Amino acid sequence: DAYTVTHYQPFDPVHKRTEATVTDDRGATFTVTKGAPQVILSLADNSADITSAVDTAVNDFAARGFR
């Protein structure tokens, strides 16, 4: 109840992600997204700093059979 989705973009196979714009109960608006790790990583401001940790996490999930 504290969040309202004001825009939703379904998964797009070209961009390999889905996205929503959300407004909280105080009026703050923010965007959330999920998708392919390399796509999400490219959106991060600190991607150079976290690439190694993301790769390790993705490989760990893959080794356990997760996509």
Side-chain angles (χ1 to χ4, degrees):
D1 291 334
Y3 300 98
T4 304
V5 176
T6 56
H7 179 264
Y8 177 74
Q9 180 67 41
F11 182 80
D12 175 4
V14 173
H15 296 106
K16 296 183 177 26
R17 65 185 169 113
T18 187
E19 185 175 284
T21 303
V22 179
T23 303
D24 70 13
D25 58 354
R26 292 176 283 182
T29 301
F30 56 94
T31 301
V32 294
T33 189
K34 70 176 183 174
Q38 68 274 16
V39 173
I40 302 304
L41 187 59
S42 72
L43 297 173
D45 290 335
N46 62 341
S47 62
D49 298 332
I50 63 173
T51 297
S52 178
V54 169
D55 288 343
T56 299
V58 168
N59 290 333
D60 180 53
F61 283 125
R64 295 185 305 168
F66 296 105
R67 284 186 48 181

Coordinates of all heavy atoms in Angstrom, one line a residue:
D1 N 0.8 -1.2 0.0 CA 0.0 0.0 0.0 C 0.9 1.3 0.0 O 0.4 2.3 -0.4 CB -0.9 0.0 1.2 CG -2.0 -1.1 1.1 OD1 -2.3 -1.4 0.0 OD2 -2.5 -1.5 2.1
A2 N 2.1 1.1 0.4 CA 3.0 2.3 0.5 C 3.5 2.7 -0.9 O 4.1 3.8 -1.0 CB 4.1 2.1 1.5
Y3 N 3.4 1.9 -1.9 CA 4.0 2.1 -3.2 C 2.9 2.0 -4.3 O 2.0 1.2 -4.2 CB 5.1 1.1 -3.5 CG 6.2 1.2 -2.5 CD1 6.3 0.3 -1.5 CD2 7.2 2.2 -2.6 CE1 7.3 0.3 -0.6 CE2 8.2 2.2 -1.7 CZ 8.3 1.3 -0.7 OH 9.3 1.4 0.2
T4 N 3.0 2.9 -5.3 CA 2.1 2.9 -6.4 C 2.9 2.8 -7.7 O 3.8 3.6 -7.9 CB 1.2 4.2 -6.5 OG1 0.5 4.3 -5.2 CG2 0.3 4.1 -7.6
V5 N 2.7 1.8 -8.5 CA 3.3 1.7 -9.8 C 2.7 2.7 -10.8 O 1.5 2.6 -11.1 CB 3.3 0.3 -10.4 CG1 3.9 0.2 -11.8 CG2 3.9 -0.7 -9.4
T6 N 3.4 3.7 -11.2 CA 2.9 4.7 -12.1 C 3.2 4.4 -13.6 O 2.6 5.0 -14.5 CB 3.4 6.1 -11.8 OG1 4.9 6.1 -11.8 CG2 3.0 6.5 -10.4
H7 N 4.2 3.6 -13.8 CA 4.5 3.1 -15.2 C 5.1 1.7 -15.2 O 5.9 1.5 -14.3 CB 5.4 4.1 -15.9 CG 5.8 3.7 -17.3 ND1 6.9 3.0 -17.6 CD2 5.1 3.9 -18.5 CE1 7.0 2.7 -18.9 NE2 5.9 3.3 -19.4
Y8 N 4.7 0.9 -16.1 CA 5.3 -0.5 -16.2 C 5.6 -0.8 -17.6 O 4.8 -0.6 -18.5 CB 4.3 -1.5 -15.6 CG 4.8 -2.9 -15.7 CD1 5.8 -3.4 -14.9 CD2 4.4 -3.8 -16.7 CE1 6.4 -4.6 -15.0 CE2 4.9 -5.1 -16.8 CZ 5.9 -5.5 -16.0 OH 6.4 -6.7 -16.1
Q9 N 6.9 -1.2 -17.8 CA 7.4 -1.6 -19.1 C 7.6 -3.1 -19.1 O 8.5 -3.5 -18.4 CB 8.7 -0.8 -19.5 CG 9.2 -1.2 -20.8 CD 8.3 -0.8 -22.0 OE1 7.8 0.3 -21.9 NE2 8.2 -1.6 -23.0
P10 N 6.8 -3.9 -19.8 CA 7.0 -5.3 -19.7 C 8.4 -5.7 -20.3 O 9.0 -4.9 -20.9 CB 5.9 -5.9 -20.6 CG 4.9 -4.8 -20.8 CD 5.7 -3.5 -20.6
F11 N 8.7 -7.0 -20.0 CA 10.0 -7.5 -20.5 C 10.1 -7.3 -22.0 O 9.2 -7.6 -22.8 CB 10.2 -9.0 -20.2 CG 11.5 -9.5 -20.6 CD1 12.7 -9.3 -19.9 CD2 11.7 -10.2 -21.8 CE1 13.9 -9.8 -20.3 CE2 12.9 -10.7 -22.2 CZ 14.0 -10.5 -21.4
D12 N 11.3 -6.8 -22.4 CA 11.5 -6.5 -23.8 C 12.8 -7.3 -24.2 O 13.9 -7.1 -23.7 CB 11.8 -5.0 -24.0 CG 12.2 -4.7 -25.4 OD1 12.2 -5.5 -26.3 OD2 12.5 -3.5 -25.6
P13 N 12.6 -8.3 -25.1 CA 13.8 -9.2 -25.5 C 14.9 -8.4 -26.1 O 16.0 -8.9 -26.1 CB 13.2 -10.2 -26.4 CG 11.9 -9.7 -26.9 CD 11.4 -8.7 -25.8
V14 N 14.6 -7.3 -26.7 CA 15.7 -6.5 -27.3 C 16.6 -5.8 -26.2 O 17.8 -5.9 -26.3 CB 15.1 -5.4 -28.2 CG1 16.2 -4.5 -28.7 CG2 14.4 -6.0 -29.4
H15 N 15.9 -5.3 -25.2 CA 16.7 -4.6 -24.1 C 17.0 -5.5 -23.0 O 17.7 -5.2 -22.1 CB 15.9 -3.4 -23.6 CG 15.8 -2.3 -24.7 ND1 14.6 -2.1 -25.3 CD2 16.7 -1.5 -25.2 CE1 14.8 -1.1 -26.2 NE2 16.0 -0.7 -26.2
K16 N 16.4 -6.7 -23.0 CA 16.6 -7.8 -22.0 C 16.3 -7.3 -20.5 O 17.0 -7.7 -19.6 CB 18.0 -8.3 -22.1 CG 18.2 -9.0 -23.5 CD 19.6 -9.6 -23.5 CE 20.0 -10.4 -24.7 NZ 19.4 -10.1 -25.9
R17 N 15.3 -6.5 -20.4 CA 14.9 -6.1 -19.0 C 13.4 -5.7 -19.0 O 12.8 -5.4 -20.0 CB 15.8 -5.0 -18.5 CG 15.7 -3.7 -19.2 CD 16.7 -2.7 -18.7 NE 16.8 -1.6 -19.6 CZ 16.5 -0.4 -19.2 NH1 16.0 -0.1 -18.0 NH2 16.6 0.6 -20.1
T18 N 12.9 -5.6 -17.7 CA 11.6 -5.0 -17.5 C 11.8 -3.9 -16.5 O 12.8 -3.8 -15.8 CB 10.6 -6.1 -16.9 OG1 9.3 -5.5 -16.9 CG2 11.0 -6.6 -15.6
E19 N 10.9 -2.9 -16.5 CA 11.1 -1.7 -15.7 C 9.8 -1.2 -15.2 O 8.8 -1.2 -15.9 CB 11.8 -0.7 -16.6 CG 12.2 0.6 -15.9 CD 13.0 1.5 -16.8 OE1 14.2 1.2 -17.1 OE2 12.5 2.5 -17.3
A20 N 9.8 -0.6 -14.0 CA 8.6 0.1 -13.5 C 9.0 1.4 -12.8 O 10.1 1.5 -12.2 CB 7.9 -0.8 -12.5
T21 N 8.2 2.4 -12.9 CA 8.4 3.6 -12.2 C 7.4 3.6 -11.0 O 6.2 3.2 -11.2 CB 8.1 4.8 -13.1 OG1 8.9 4.8 -14.2 CG2 8.3 6.1 -12.3
V22 N 7.9 3.8 -9.8 CA 7.1 3.7 -8.6 C 7.2 5.0 -7.8 O 8.2 5.7 -7.7 CB 7.8 2.5 -7.7 CG1 7.0 2.3 -6.5 CG2 7.8 1.2 -8.6
T23 N 6.0 5.3 -7.2 CA 5.9 6.4 -6.3 C 5.6 5.9 -4.9 O 4.7 5.1 -4.7 CB 4.9 7.4 -6.8 OG1 5.2 7.8 -8.1 CG2 4.8 8.6 -5.9
D24 N 6.3 6.4 -3.9 CA 6.0 5.9 -2.5 C 5.0 6.8 -1.9 O 4.5 7.8 -2.5 CB 7.3 5.8 -1.7 CG 8.0 7.1 -1.3 OD1 7.4 8.2 -1.5 OD2 9.1 7.1 -0.8
D25 N 4.6 6.5 -0.6 CA 3.5 7.3 0.0 C 3.9 8.7 0.4 O 3.1 9.5 0.8 CB 3.0 6.5 1.2 CG 4.1 6.2 2.3 OD1 5.3 6.4 2.0 OD2 3.7 5.6 3.3
R26 N 5.2 9.0 0.3 CA 5.7 10.4 0.6 C 5.9 11.2 -0.7 O 6.3 12.4 -0.7 CB 7.0 10.4 1.3 CG 6.8 9.8 2.8 CD 8.1 9.7 3.5 NE 8.8 8.5 2.9 CZ 9.9 8.0 3.3 NH1 10.6 8.6 4.3 NH2 10.4 6.9 2.8
G27 N 5.6 10.6 -1.9 CA 5.7 11.3 -3.1 C 7.0 11.1 -3.9 O 7.1 11.7 -5.0
A28 N 7.9 10.4 -3.3 CA 9.2 10.2 -4.0 C 9.0 9.2 -5.1 O 8.3 8.1 -4.9 CB 10.2 9.7 -3.0
T29 N 9.6 9.4 -6.3 CA 9.5 8.6 -7.4 C 10.8 8.0 -7.7 O 11.8 8.7 -7.7 CB 8.9 9.4 -8.6 OG1 7.7 9.9 -8.3 CG2 8.8 8.5 -9.9
F30 N 10.8 6.7 -8.1 CA 12.0 6.0 -8.4 C 11.7 4.9 -9.4 O 10.6 4.5 -9.6 CB 12.8 5.4 -7.2 CG 11.9 4.5 -6.3 CD1 11.9 3.1 -6.5 CD2 11.1 5.0 -5.4 CE1 11.2 2.3 -5.8 CE2 10.3 4.2 -4.6 CZ 10.3 2.8 -4.8
T31 N 12.8 4.4 -10.1 CA 12.6 3.4 -11.1 C 13.3 2.1 -10.6 O 14.4 2.1 -10.0 CB 13.3 3.8 -12.4 OG1 12.7 5.0 -12.8 CG2 13.1 2.8 -13.5
V32 N 12.6 1.0 -10.8 CA 13.2 -0.4 -10.5 C 13.2 -1.2 -11.8 O 12.4 -1.0 -12.7 CB 12.3 -1.1 -9.4 CG1 12.4 -0.4 -8.1 CG2 10.9 -1.2 -9.8
T33 N 14.2 -2.0 -11.9 CA 14.3 -2.9 -13.1 C 14.9 -4.2 -12.7 O 15.5 -4.4 -11.7 CB 15.2 -2.1 -14.1 OG1 15.1 -2.8 -15.3 CG2 16.6 -2.0 -13.7
K34 N 14.6 -5.2 -13.6 CA 15.2 -6.5 -13.5 C 15.5 -7.0 -14.9 O 14.7 -6.7 -15.8 CB 14.4 -7.5 -12.6 CG 13.2 -7.9 -13.2 CD 12.5 -9.0 -12.3 CE 11.2 -9.5 -13.0 NZ 10.7 -10.6 -12.2
G35 N 16.5 -7.8 -15.0 CA 16.8 -8.4 -16.3 C 18.1 -9.1 -16.3 O 18.7 -9.5 -15.3
A36 N 18.7 -9.2 -17.5 CA 20.0 -9.9 -17.7 C 21.0 -9.2 -16.9 O 21.1 -7.9 -16.9 CB 20.3 -9.9 -19.1
P37 N 21.9 -9.9 -16.2 CA 22.9 -9.3 -15.3 C 23.8 -8.3 -16.0 O 24.1 -7.2 -15.5 CB 23.7 -10.5 -14.8 CG 22.8 -11.6 -14.9 CD 21.9 -11.4 -16.0
Q38 N 24.2 -8.6 -17.3 CA 25.1 -7.7 -18.0 C 24.3 -6.4 -18.3 O 25.0 -5.3 -18.4 CB 25.7 -8.3 -19.2 CG 24.7 -8.6 -20.4 CD 24.0 -10.0 -20.2 OE1 24.0 -10.6 -19.2 NE2 23.3 -10.4 -21.3
V39 N 23.0 -6.4 -18.6 CA 22.3 -5.3 -18.9 C 22.1 -4.4 -17.6 O 22.3 -3.2 -17.7 CB 20.9 -5.7 -19.4 CG1 20.0 -4.4 -19.6 CG2 21.0 -6.4 -20.8
I40 N 21.8 -5.0 -16.5 CA 21.6 -4.3 -15.3 C 22.9 -3.7 -14.8 O 23.0 -2.5 -14.4 CB 21.0 -5.2 -14.1 CG1 19.7 -5.8 -14.6 CG2 20.9 -4.4 -12.8 CD1 18.6 -4.8 -15.0
L41 N 24.0 -4.4 -15.0 CA 25.3 -3.9 -14.6 C 25.7 -2.7 -15.5 O 26.3 -1.7 -15.0 CB 26.4 -5.0 -14.8 CG 27.8 -4.7 -14.4 CD1 27.8 -4.4 -12.9 CD2 28.7 -5.9 -14.7
S42 N 25.3 -2.7 -16.7 CA 25.6 -1.5 -17.6 C 24.8 -0.3 -17.1 O 25.3 0.9 -17.5 CB 25.3 -1.8 -19.0 OG 23.9 -1.9 -19.3
L43 N 23.8 -0.4 -16.4 CA 23.0 0.7 -15.9 C 23.6 1.3 -14.6 O 23.3 2.4 -14.2 CB 21.6 0.3 -15.6 CG 20.7 -0.2 -16.8 CD1 19.4 -0.7 -16.4 CD2 20.5 1.0 -17.8
A44 N 24.5 0.6 -13.9 CA 25.0 1.0 -12.6 C 26.1 2.1 -12.8 O 26.9 2.0 -13.7 CB 25.6 -0.2 -11.9
D45 N 26.0 3.1 -12.0 CA 27.1 4.1 -12.0 C 28.4 3.6 -11.6 O 29.5 4.1 -12.1 CB 26.7 5.3 -11.1 CG 25.5 6.1 -11.6 OD1 25.3 6.1 -12.8 OD2 24.8 6.7 -10.7
N46 N 28.5 2.6 -10.8 CA 29.7 2.0 -10.3 C 30.1 0.7 -10.9 O 30.7 -0.1 -10.2 CB 29.7 2.0 -8.7 CG 28.6 1.0 -8.3 OD1 27.7 0.7 -9.0 ND2 28.7 0.6 -7.0
S47 N 29.7 0.5 -12.1 CA 29.8 -0.9 -12.7 C 31.3 -1.3 -12.7 O 31.6 -2.5 -12.5 CB 29.3 -0.9 -14.1 OG 29.9 0.0 -15.0
A48 N 32.2 -0.4 -12.9 CA 33.6 -0.8 -12.9 C 34.1 -1.4 -11.6 O 34.9 -2.3 -11.5 CB 34.5 0.4 -13.3
D49 N 33.5 -0.9 -10.5 CA 33.8 -1.3 -9.1 C 33.2 -2.6 -8.7 O 33.7 -3.3 -7.9 CB 33.4 -0.2 -8.1 CG 34.1 1.1 -8.3 OD1 35.2 1.1 -8.8 OD2 33.5 2.1 -8.0
I50 N 32.0 -2.9 -9.3 CA 31.3 -4.1 -8.9 C 31.2 -5.3 -9.9 O 30.7 -6.3 -9.6 CB 29.8 -3.7 -8.5 CG1 29.1 -3.2 -9.7 CG2 29.8 -2.7 -7.3 CD1 27.6 -2.9 -9.4
T51 N 31.8 -5.1 -11.1 CA 31.8 -6.1 -12.1 C 32.3 -7.5 -11.6 O 31.7 -8.5 -11.8 CB 32.6 -5.7 -13.4 OG1 31.9 -4.5 -13.9 CG2 32.6 -6.8 -14.4
S52 N 33.4 -7.5 -10.9 CA 34.0 -8.7 -10.4 C 33.0 -9.4 -9.4 O 32.8 -10.6 -9.5 CB 35.3 -8.4 -9.7 OG 35.8 -9.6 -9.2
A53 N 32.4 -8.7 -8.5 CA 31.5 -9.2 -7.5 C 30.2 -9.8 -8.2 O 29.7 -10.8 -7.9 CB 31.1 -8.2 -6.5
V54 N 29.7 -9.1 -9.2 CA 28.6 -9.5 -9.9 C 28.9 -10.8 -10.7 O 28.1 -11.7 -10.7 CB 28.1 -8.4 -10.9 CG1 27.0 -8.9 -11.9 CG2 27.5 -7.2 -10.1
D55 N 30.0 -10.8 -11.4 CA 30.4 -12.0 -12.1 C 30.5 -13.2 -11.2 O 30.1 -14.3 -11.5 CB 31.7 -11.8 -12.9 CG 31.6 -10.9 -14.1 OD1 30.4 -10.7 -14.5 OD2 32.6 -10.4 -14.6
T56 N 31.1 -13.0 -10.0 CA 31.2 -14.1 -9.0 C 29.8 -14.6 -8.6 O 29.6 -15.8 -8.6 CB 32.0 -13.6 -7.8 OG1 33.3 -13.3 -8.3 CG2 32.1 -14.7 -6.8
A57 N 28.9 -13.7 -8.3 CA 27.6 -14.1 -7.9 C 26.8 -14.8 -9.0 O 26.2 -15.8 -8.8 CB 26.8 -12.8 -7.5
V58 N 26.9 -14.3 -10.2 CA 26.3 -15.0 -11.4 C 26.8 -16.4 -11.6 O 26.1 -17.3 -11.8 CB 26.4 -14.1 -12.6 CG1 26.0 -14.9 -13.9 CG2 25.6 -12.8 -12.5
N59 N 28.1 -16.5 -11.5 CA 28.7 -17.8 -11.7 C 28.4 -18.8 -10.6 O 28.2 -20.0 -10.8 CB 30.3 -17.7 -11.9 CG 30.6 -17.1 -13.2 OD1 29.9 -17.1 -14.2 ND2 31.8 -16.4 -13.2
D60 N 28.3 -18.3 -9.4 CA 27.8 -19.1 -8.2 C 26.4 -19.6 -8.4 O 26.1 -20.8 -8.2 CB 28.0 -18.3 -6.9 CG 27.5 -19.1 -5.7 OD1 28.1 -20.2 -5.6 OD2 26.7 -18.6 -5.0
F61 N 25.5 -18.7 -8.8 CA 24.1 -19.1 -9.1 C 24.1 -20.2 -10.2 O 23.4 -21.2 -10.2 CB 23.3 -17.9 -9.5 CG 22.8 -17.1 -8.3 CD1 23.1 -15.7 -8.3 CD2 22.2 -17.7 -7.2 CE1 22.7 -15.0 -7.2 CE2 21.7 -16.9 -6.1 CZ 22.0 -15.6 -6.1
A62 N 24.9 -19.9 -11.3 CA 24.9 -20.9 -12.4 C 25.4 -22.2 -12.0 O 24.9 -23.3 -12.4 CB 25.8 -20.3 -13.5
A63 N 26.4 -22.2 -11.1 CA 27.0 -23.5 -10.7 C 26.0 -24.3 -9.9 O 26.0 -25.5 -9.8 CB 28.2 -23.3 -9.8
R64 N 25.0 -23.6 -9.3 CA 23.9 -24.3 -8.5 C 22.7 -24.5 -9.3 O 21.7 -25.0 -8.8 CB 23.6 -23.4 -7.3 CG 24.8 -23.3 -6.3 CD 24.4 -22.6 -5.0 NE 23.9 -21.3 -5.3 CZ 23.3 -20.5 -4.4 NH1 23.2 -20.9 -3.2 NH2 22.8 -19.3 -4.8
G65 N 22.8 -24.2 -10.6 CA 21.7 -24.6 -11.5 C 20.7 -23.5 -11.7 O 19.6 -23.7 -12.4
F66 N 20.9 -22.3 -11.2 CA 20.0 -21.2 -11.4 C 20.3 -20.4 -12.7 O 21.5 -20.4 -13.1 CB 20.0 -20.2 -10.2 CG 19.6 -20.8 -8.9 CD1 20.5 -21.1 -8.0 CD2 18.2 -21.0 -8.7 CE1 20.1 -21.7 -6.8 CE2 17.8 -21.5 -7.5 CZ 18.7 -21.9 -6.5
R67 N 19.3 -19.8 -13.3 CA 19.5 -19.0 -14.5 C 19.7 -17.5 -14.0 O 19.1 -17.1 -13.1 CB 18.4 -19.1 -15.4 CG 18.4 -20.3 -16.2 CD 17.3 -20.4 -17.2 NE 17.3 -19.1 -18.0 CZ 16.5 -18.8 -18.9 NH1 15.6 -19.6 -19.3 NH2 16.6 -17.6 -19.5

